[in-house]
Amino acid sequence: LSDVTYTSPSSIRRDLTRLQNAGIVKRSYGGVTLVDEEEIVPPIFMRKDKNRIQKQAIARNASSLIKDGMTIILDGSTTAFYMLNHIAERKDITVITNSLLTASTATEYGIKVYSTGGYSENGSPVLIGTYAEETLQKLTADICFISSSSLSNDGDVTDVNEHENKLRKIIMERVKVKVLLMDNSKKGKLSTHVLCKLADFDYYFNED
């Protein structure tokens, strides 16, 4: 790898460590292999800009549901993150989120925000675990905007991360209106962990 990339061995080792911590590769003595694509949850800096224009369009369309004074739950997805631009245009909004990136950006907009707490895994800014779950179970909200990894042709909404999936299930129990945001790259696919059926959402926004 050092010879192919014209990079020092120490730099290669540092990069491989970062990739392993992000869950993209597995290292072994003298070698490295890619993790199976279905097992990968890409880092937020990779996911945020993937299909960015489509995600922004979805967020813009979904923003028609936002009213002044609402309490809104945003999950850790990048599509939900793009809702913040539109939330900031409303008055007296409260946001609840398990995303450190969403929470910090909300504060920059001057939006009142609650963080669920929890722990971060593999350098992800998405908080998961018992503390996050207990916080969400103590709160209620008017509406949630969430996404997921896959939407099958049979209407199954699924995800690769069981911990985030568990949080989304709790979120859906704590709100009056449930909104799914999903770009078309996720359609016709099936991941390991089932969240629910598409019909369980009140609204579904995609690129169509």
Side-chain angles (χ1 to χ4, degrees), residues 113-148:
V113 59
Y114 285 90
S115 172
T116 63
Y119 73 91
S120 167
E121 191 172 59
N122 296 327
S124 170
V126 180
L127 300 175
I128 55 177
T130 303
Y131 291 116
E133 294 164 14
E134 290 178 350
T135 298
L136 287 168
Q137 287 166 346
K138 294 176 182 177
L139 298 169
T140 61
D142 297 293
I143 191 169
C144 72
F145 296 93
I146 68 178
S147 189
S148 199

Short mmCIF file of all heavy atoms in Angstrom, two decimals, residues 113-148:
data_model
loop_
_atom_site.label_atom_id
_atom_site.label_comp_id
_atom_site.label_asym_id
_atom_site.label_seq_id
_atom_site.Cartn_x
_atom_site.Cartn_y
_atom_site.Cartn_z
N VAL A 113 -32.70 22.99 21.79
CA VAL A 113 -32.44 21.60 21.45
C VAL A 113 -32.14 20.76 22.69
O VAL A 113 -31.45 21.22 23.60
CB VAL A 113 -31.27 21.48 20.43
CG1 VAL A 113 -29.99 22.11 20.99
CG2 VAL A 113 -31.04 20.04 20.01
N TYR A 114 -32.71 19.56 22.72
CA TYR A 114 -32.41 18.57 23.74
C TYR A 114 -31.59 17.45 23.09
O TYR A 114 -31.98 16.91 22.05
CB TYR A 114 -33.68 17.95 24.32
CG TYR A 114 -34.46 18.83 25.26
CD1 TYR A 114 -35.44 19.69 24.77
CD2 TYR A 114 -34.23 18.79 26.63
CE1 TYR A 114 -36.17 20.49 25.63
CE2 TYR A 114 -34.95 19.59 27.50
CZ TYR A 114 -35.92 20.44 26.99
OH TYR A 114 -36.65 21.24 27.85
N SER A 115 -30.49 17.09 23.73
CA SER A 115 -29.72 15.92 23.30
C SER A 115 -30.12 14.73 24.16
O SER A 115 -30.30 14.86 25.37
CB SER A 115 -28.22 16.17 23.45
OG SER A 115 -27.49 14.99 23.21
N THR A 116 -30.26 13.58 23.53
CA THR A 116 -30.69 12.39 24.27
C THR A 116 -29.63 11.85 25.21
O THR A 116 -29.93 11.10 26.13
CB THR A 116 -31.08 11.26 23.31
OG1 THR A 116 -29.92 10.88 22.54
CG2 THR A 116 -32.20 11.69 22.38
N GLY A 117 -28.36 12.25 24.97
CA GLY A 117 -27.30 11.56 25.67
C GLY A 117 -27.09 10.18 25.07
O GLY A 117 -27.69 9.84 24.05
N GLY A 118 -26.25 9.39 25.70
CA GLY A 118 -25.92 8.08 25.17
C GLY A 118 -24.44 8.01 24.85
O GLY A 118 -23.67 8.88 25.24
N TYR A 119 -24.04 6.96 24.15
CA TYR A 119 -22.62 6.81 23.82
C TYR A 119 -22.42 6.77 22.32
O TYR A 119 -23.32 6.44 21.54
CB TYR A 119 -22.03 5.57 24.49
CG TYR A 119 -22.46 4.24 23.89
CD1 TYR A 119 -21.71 3.64 22.86
CD2 TYR A 119 -23.58 3.58 24.35
CE1 TYR A 119 -22.10 2.43 22.32
CE2 TYR A 119 -23.97 2.36 23.81
CZ TYR A 119 -23.22 1.79 22.79
OH TYR A 119 -23.60 0.59 22.26
N SER A 120 -21.20 7.11 21.91
CA SER A 120 -20.83 7.11 20.50
C SER A 120 -19.98 5.89 20.21
O SER A 120 -19.11 5.52 21.01
CB SER A 120 -20.04 8.39 20.18
OG SER A 120 -19.42 8.29 18.92
N GLU A 121 -20.22 5.27 19.05
CA GLU A 121 -19.50 4.06 18.67
C GLU A 121 -18.76 4.30 17.36
O GLU A 121 -19.31 4.89 16.42
CB GLU A 121 -20.49 2.91 18.52
CG GLU A 121 -19.87 1.54 18.39
CD GLU A 121 -20.93 0.45 18.44
OE1 GLU A 121 -21.84 0.46 17.59
OE2 GLU A 121 -20.85 -0.40 19.35
N ASN A 122 -17.50 3.86 17.29
CA ASN A 122 -16.69 3.96 16.07
C ASN A 122 -16.58 5.39 15.55
O ASN A 122 -16.56 5.63 14.33
CB ASN A 122 -17.26 3.06 14.97
CG ASN A 122 -17.19 1.59 15.34
OD1 ASN A 122 -16.27 1.16 16.03
ND2 ASN A 122 -18.17 0.82 14.89
N GLY A 123 -16.54 6.36 16.45
CA GLY A 123 -16.36 7.74 16.04
C GLY A 123 -17.59 8.39 15.45
O GLY A 123 -17.51 9.50 14.92
N SER A 124 -18.74 7.74 15.54
CA SER A 124 -19.97 8.29 14.98
C SER A 124 -20.52 9.39 15.89
O SER A 124 -20.48 9.27 17.12
CB SER A 124 -21.02 7.19 14.82
OG SER A 124 -22.28 7.74 14.51
N PRO A 125 -21.09 10.48 15.32
CA PRO A 125 -21.73 11.51 16.14
C PRO A 125 -23.15 11.15 16.54
O PRO A 125 -23.84 11.95 17.16
CB PRO A 125 -21.71 12.73 15.22
CG PRO A 125 -21.83 12.16 13.86
CD PRO A 125 -21.06 10.86 13.89
N VAL A 126 -23.60 9.94 16.19
CA VAL A 126 -24.94 9.49 16.54
C VAL A 126 -24.88 8.75 17.88
O VAL A 126 -24.16 7.77 18.02
CB VAL A 126 -25.53 8.58 15.45
CG1 VAL A 126 -26.93 8.12 15.85
CG2 VAL A 126 -25.57 9.30 14.11
N LEU A 127 -25.66 9.21 18.86
CA LEU A 127 -25.63 8.64 20.20
C LEU A 127 -26.65 7.51 20.30
O LEU A 127 -27.79 7.62 19.83
CB LEU A 127 -25.94 9.72 21.23
CG LEU A 127 -24.95 10.89 21.24
CD1 LEU A 127 -25.41 11.96 22.23
CD2 LEU A 127 -23.54 10.42 21.58
N ILE A 128 -26.24 6.42 20.93
CA ILE A 128 -27.09 5.24 21.06
C ILE A 128 -26.99 4.72 22.49
O ILE A 128 -26.29 5.29 23.33
CB ILE A 128 -26.65 4.13 20.07
CG1 ILE A 128 -25.16 3.78 20.27
CG2 ILE A 128 -26.92 4.55 18.63
CD1 ILE A 128 -24.67 2.64 19.39
N GLY A 129 -27.71 3.65 22.79
CA GLY A 129 -27.58 3.00 24.08
C GLY A 129 -28.69 3.32 25.06
O GLY A 129 -29.64 4.05 24.76
N THR A 130 -28.56 2.77 26.27
CA THR A 130 -29.60 2.84 27.28
C THR A 130 -29.96 4.26 27.68
O THR A 130 -31.14 4.60 27.84
CB THR A 130 -29.16 2.05 28.53
OG1 THR A 130 -28.86 0.71 28.16
CG2 THR A 130 -30.26 2.06 29.59
N TYR A 131 -28.96 5.13 27.84
CA TYR A 131 -29.24 6.50 28.26
C TYR A 131 -30.08 7.23 27.22
O TYR A 131 -31.03 7.95 27.56
CB TYR A 131 -27.93 7.27 28.51
CG TYR A 131 -27.17 6.79 29.73
CD1 TYR A 131 -25.92 6.22 29.60
CD2 TYR A 131 -27.72 6.90 31.00
CE1 TYR A 131 -25.21 5.76 30.71
CE2 TYR A 131 -27.03 6.46 32.11
CZ TYR A 131 -25.78 5.89 31.96
OH TYR A 131 -25.09 5.44 33.06
N ALA A 132 -29.75 7.04 25.95
CA ALA A 132 -30.53 7.66 24.88
C ALA A 132 -31.96 7.13 24.88
O ALA A 132 -32.92 7.88 24.72
CB ALA A 132 -29.86 7.42 23.53
N GLU A 133 -32.10 5.83 25.06
CA GLU A 133 -33.43 5.21 25.06
C GLU A 133 -34.27 5.73 26.23
O GLU A 133 -35.45 6.06 26.05
CB GLU A 133 -33.28 3.69 25.16
CG GLU A 133 -32.63 3.07 23.93
CD GLU A 133 -32.13 1.66 24.18
OE1 GLU A 133 -32.52 1.07 25.22
OE2 GLU A 133 -31.37 1.13 23.35
N GLU A 134 -33.68 5.82 27.41
CA GLU A 134 -34.43 6.28 28.59
C GLU A 134 -34.85 7.73 28.45
O GLU A 134 -35.95 8.11 28.87
CB GLU A 134 -33.58 6.08 29.85
CG GLU A 134 -33.39 4.61 30.22
CD GLU A 134 -32.51 4.44 31.45
OE1 GLU A 134 -31.90 5.44 31.90
OE2 GLU A 134 -32.44 3.30 31.96
N THR A 135 -33.99 8.55 27.86
CA THR A 135 -34.34 9.96 27.65
C THR A 135 -35.54 10.08 26.72
O THR A 135 -36.50 10.81 27.00
CB THR A 135 -33.15 10.73 27.05
OG1 THR A 135 -32.06 10.70 27.98
CG2 THR A 135 -33.53 12.18 26.77
N LEU A 136 -35.51 9.35 25.61
CA LEU A 136 -36.61 9.42 24.65
C LEU A 136 -37.92 8.93 25.25
O LEU A 136 -39.00 9.46 24.95
CB LEU A 136 -36.26 8.61 23.40
CG LEU A 136 -35.22 9.24 22.48
CD1 LEU A 136 -34.74 8.23 21.44
CD2 LEU A 136 -35.79 10.47 21.78
N GLN A 137 -37.85 7.93 26.12
CA GLN A 137 -39.07 7.39 26.73
C GLN A 137 -39.70 8.37 27.71
O GLN A 137 -40.89 8.21 28.06
CB GLN A 137 -38.74 6.07 27.42
CG GLN A 137 -38.49 4.93 26.43
CD GLN A 137 -37.85 3.71 27.07
OE1 GLN A 137 -37.34 3.78 28.20
NE2 GLN A 137 -37.85 2.59 26.38
N LYS A 138 -38.96 9.39 28.12
CA LYS A 138 -39.48 10.39 29.06
C LYS A 138 -40.03 11.63 28.35
O LYS A 138 -40.48 12.57 29.00
CB LYS A 138 -38.37 10.82 30.02
CG LYS A 138 -37.90 9.71 30.96
CD LYS A 138 -36.73 10.19 31.80
CE LYS A 138 -36.21 9.08 32.70
NZ LYS A 138 -35.01 9.51 33.48
N LEU A 139 -39.96 11.65 27.02
CA LEU A 139 -40.35 12.84 26.26
C LEU A 139 -41.47 12.52 25.27
O LEU A 139 -41.66 11.36 24.88
CB LEU A 139 -39.14 13.38 25.48
CG LEU A 139 -37.95 13.84 26.33
CD1 LEU A 139 -36.74 14.10 25.44
CD2 LEU A 139 -38.30 15.10 27.12
N THR A 140 -42.20 13.55 24.89
CA THR A 140 -43.18 13.43 23.81
C THR A 140 -42.94 14.57 22.83
O THR A 140 -42.31 15.57 23.17
CB THR A 140 -44.63 13.52 24.33
OG1 THR A 140 -44.83 14.80 24.95
CG2 THR A 140 -44.92 12.41 25.32
N ALA A 141 -43.43 14.40 21.60
CA ALA A 141 -43.23 15.42 20.58
C ALA A 141 -44.40 15.43 19.61
O ALA A 141 -45.20 14.48 19.56
CB ALA A 141 -41.92 15.17 19.83
N ASP A 142 -44.49 16.50 18.84
CA ASP A 142 -45.56 16.62 17.85
C ASP A 142 -45.29 15.78 16.62
O ASP A 142 -46.20 15.18 16.04
CB ASP A 142 -45.71 18.09 17.42
CG ASP A 142 -46.12 18.98 18.58
OD1 ASP A 142 -47.25 18.81 19.07
OD2 ASP A 142 -45.31 19.82 18.99
N ILE A 143 -44.03 15.73 16.22
CA ILE A 143 -43.70 15.11 14.93
C ILE A 143 -42.26 14.62 14.94
O ILE A 143 -41.42 15.17 15.66
CB ILE A 143 -43.91 16.13 13.78
CG1 ILE A 143 -43.85 15.48 12.41
CG2 ILE A 143 -42.94 17.30 13.90
CD1 ILE A 143 -44.32 16.39 11.28
N CYS A 144 -41.98 13.57 14.19
CA CYS A 144 -40.59 13.12 14.03
C CYS A 144 -40.27 13.02 12.55
O CYS A 144 -41.14 12.75 11.71
CB CYS A 144 -40.35 11.77 14.71
SG CYS A 144 -41.13 10.35 13.90
N PHE A 145 -39.02 13.26 12.23
CA PHE A 145 -38.49 13.07 10.88
C PHE A 145 -37.34 12.09 10.99
O PHE A 145 -36.33 12.39 11.64
CB PHE A 145 -38.01 14.40 10.29
CG PHE A 145 -39.09 15.41 10.11
CD1 PHE A 145 -39.36 16.36 11.09
CD2 PHE A 145 -39.85 15.44 8.95
CE1 PHE A 145 -40.37 17.31 10.93
CE2 PHE A 145 -40.86 16.38 8.76
CZ PHE A 145 -41.11 17.31 9.75
N ILE A 146 -37.50 10.92 10.41
CA ILE A 146 -36.46 9.90 10.50
C ILE A 146 -36.21 9.27 9.14
O ILE A 146 -37.01 9.40 8.21
CB ILE A 146 -36.84 8.80 11.53
CG1 ILE A 146 -38.03 7.97 11.05
CG2 ILE A 146 -37.11 9.41 12.90
CD1 ILE A 146 -38.39 6.85 12.01
N SER A 147 -35.08 8.59 9.03
CA SER A 147 -34.74 7.87 7.81
C SER A 147 -34.29 6.47 8.19
O SER A 147 -34.30 6.10 9.37
CB SER A 147 -33.66 8.61 7.02
OG SER A 147 -33.48 8.02 5.75
N SER A 148 -33.87 5.70 7.21
CA SER A 148 -33.38 4.35 7.46
C SER A 148 -32.56 3.92 6.26
O SER A 148 -32.52 4.60 5.23
CB SER A 148 -34.56 3.40 7.70
OG SER A 148 -34.13 2.22 8.35
#
